[in-house]
Amino acid sequence: MPVLRQVRERFAAQRPLEGLRIAACLHVTAETAALMRALLAGGAQVGLCAANPLSTRDDVAAALAEVEGAAVFARRGEAPEEALDELVAWRPQLTLDDGADLIVALHEADALEDYLGGLEETTTGLVRLRALAAAGALHRPVLAVNEARSERVFNDRYGTGQSALDGIVRATNMLLAGRTLVVLGYGPTGQGVAQRARGAGAVVVVCEIDPVRALEARMEGYEVMPALAAAERGDVFVTVTGVRDVLRAEHFQVMKDGAVLANAGHFDVEISLGELRALAIEPPVELIPLVEEYRLEDGRRLHLLTGGRVVNLAAGEGHPAEVMDISFAGQALAAEYLAGDGAALPAGVQPVPDGLDVEVARLKLEALGVRLDALSADQQAYREGWTPPVAAPSPAPGSAP
Ligand code: ADE
């Protein structure tokens, strides 16, 4: 993670986070540990708990817990509630969230006395935080790191695009070529999944509720149809919507025997597990680790991956380090910003300053050895200095010449 390393080296020299208590509720992976080490180098104390019980790497959690200044509350398979309480009791000044659980817990406990603000890295988390803000109940600024330009492109399109399929293939060892893969949701992550699935030889069908996105999917050459029509067609289904019950009884009832169901959205609500269980004639059987078979009355079998939890982290290792390098370097810089000028931002969901994004991209290009052009002073002046020609007012109709 060369970009994060550069940030960490600067942090070690400048100590911009000296003495700050920073709590994070993120996936406990090697990449997250590298982010924690950068924050520690900047002078912070860090506390970390797991955003998802199935993504925790116990070896990483144990190694990080050995580092001075780091407290880790995570064990694979354990729900994060108690750990969240520990972090709330610690009265963090900054938070990093993947799903908004920590920010919400701090607000619920009214533990905001030292709190400057937070960072949120998922669409799902931002939906919750915007709802909180609309209800007048979000009392600090939260930077929408998930909506930074670099994050949208790398994390969502390339990160989820590759890692969701990687999780599906690791869990099932299935060949994607020739299969019909249905992507439910064509936001930046769905676009990534669709693009990579097509690259792997799948026939890709997209389901979307937004007309502009649906049109874009169609123009990209995907088949676009309602979920109910797609349910009959698909061999593999991937939900990436941030919405609950996207696949439910009416869809399960018409799916093919052997259909594979995977969710790549943050929470395990996109595939209705309640309706799937209700339709099944017996409790699910674990065919192989992470693949459960639900048998329906007419003999059809549906295969649910990772219990409907985020497949790229629960069956794989999440986004590769190259992607998290960009994402987490951006978060380290965003934490520095919030600890400084950003703390004066009004309460609510706030955009990440563009300059910060540009800095991350610049460092990444440098690390890749890629050079780029720059405008000359003349070009810059041409681009910015255009003034509209001042036209003489034309006489009003019927007026004397
Ligand atoms: N989110 C997606 N992939 C991740 C990873 N490798 N580490 C932490 N968070 C992630």
Side-chain angles (χ1 to χ4, degrees):
M1 300 173 80
V3 180
L4 188 58
R5 190 183 337 115
Q6 287 184 64
V7 173
R8 175 174 163 176
E9 283 164 7
R10 178 173 68 72
F11 275 13
Q14 299 177 348
R15 309 279 289 179
L17 307 173
E18 194 67 62
L20 278 180
R21 291 185 304 281
I22 302 184
C25 180
L26 299 174
H27 298 287
V28 181
T29 64
E31 292 78 25
T32 299
L35 171 62
M36 296 297 114
R37 300 296 297 256
L39 301 176
L40 286 163
Q45 289 174 271
V46 300
L48 173 65
C49 78
N52 184 306
L54 287 188
S55 59
T56 298
R57 288 253 318 262
D58 284 336
D59 55 338
V60 170
L64 186 63
E66 296 287 308
V67 178
E68 199 182 327
V72 183
F73 309 94
R75 179 165 293 141
R76 192 176 177 87
E78 275 183 15
E81 282 76 30
E82 264 181 44
L84 278 173
D85 292 344
E86 299 270 3
L87 288 184
V88 168
W90 194 52
R91 295 294 188 266
Q93 290 154 292
L94 288 183
T95 56
L96 279 61
D97 248 293
D98 193 322
D101 284 339
L102 185 53
I103 299 176
V104 170
L106 275 180
H107 279 72
E108 274 174 2
D110 199 15
L112 304 177
E113 58 271 21
D114 299 333
Y115 185 49
L116 300 171
L119 315 177
E120 169 54 49
E121 77 165 37
T122 61
T123 308
T124 311
L126 289 177
V127 168
R128 289 171 152 202
L129 293 170
R130 290 198 166 103
L132 208 60
L138 181 60
H139 300 304
R140 293 290 184 276
V142 179
L143 294 181
V145 285
N146 181 54
E147 290 174 355
R149 279 198 292 154
S150 57
E151 183 91 357
R152 278 262 177 263
V153 177
F154 303 109
N155 211 324
D156 293 357
R157 193 186 312 157
Y158 300 117
T160 307
Q162 174 171 308
S163 65
L165 296 185
D166 175 51
I168 293 169
V169 171
R170 283 192 201 206
T172 60
N173 196 25
M174 76 192 305
L175 179 70
L176 294 172
R179 289 240 160 75
T180 298
L181 186 141
V182 179
V183 181
L184 296 114
Y186 196 67
T189 44
Q191 289 164 23
V193 174
Q195 198 178 71
R196 293 303 180 235
R198 176 157 67 187
V203 174
V204 177
V205 173
V206 169
C207 308
E208 182 42 72
I209 52 157
D210 178 280
V212 177
R213 283 184 172 167
L215 184 59
E216 194 181 349
R218 172 72 192 207
M219 297 278 172
E220 272 300 313
Y222 302 117
E223 286 189 66
V224 179
M225 62 184 76
L228 198 53
E232 292 177 19
R233 291 274 306 279
D235 300 305
V236 184
F237 295 83
V238 186
T239 53
V240 253
T241 63
V243 171
R244 62 174 309 132
D245 303 329
V246 178
L247 289 178
R248 48 188 186 270
E250 59 185 305
H251 306 112
F252 305 141
Q253 259 150 351
V254 297
M255 283 179 183
K256 293 182 197 169
D257 181 32
V260 170
L261 314 178
N263 166 49
H266 181 74
F267 287 116
D268 58 350
V269 297
E270 304 202 16
I271 301 172
S272 172
L273 299 182
E275 295 191 16
L276 186 54
R277 282 193 204 109
L279 272 187
I281 52 170
E282 57 194 22
V285 176
E286 189 179 53
L287 284 187
I288 46 175
L290 306 176
V291 183
E292 284 174 323
E293 180 173 281
Y294 286 79
R295 193 176 276 275
L296 309 188
E297 201 163 12
D298 59 6
R300 278 176 306 122
R301 294 153 302 173
L302 302 182
H303 294 143
L304 176 71
L305 305 192
T306 61
R309 290 209 160 89
V310 59
V311 72
N312 52 354
L313 281 140
E317 289 175 59
H319 303 341
E322 289 97 319
V323 170
M324 295 317 292
D325 188 23
I326 298 169
S327 186
F328 281 164
Q331 293 215 30
L333 296 184
E336 179 185 32
Y337 171 68
L338 255 192
D341 293 347
L345 288 170
V349 175
Q350 304 291 348
V352 171
D354 201 44
L356 206 144
D357 225 7
V358 168
E359 175 63 5
V360 172
R362 196 186 60 71
L363 289 171
K364 185 73 183 179
L365 287 169
E366 209 173 282
L368 293 170
V370 175
R371 294 179 302 129
L372 69 165
D373 291 316
L375 292 180
S376 68
D378 275 356
Q379 287 172 320
Q380 187 81 21
Y382 173 78
R383 194 163 79 162
E384 287 164 12
W386 187 80
T387 45
V390 184
S394 44
S399 63

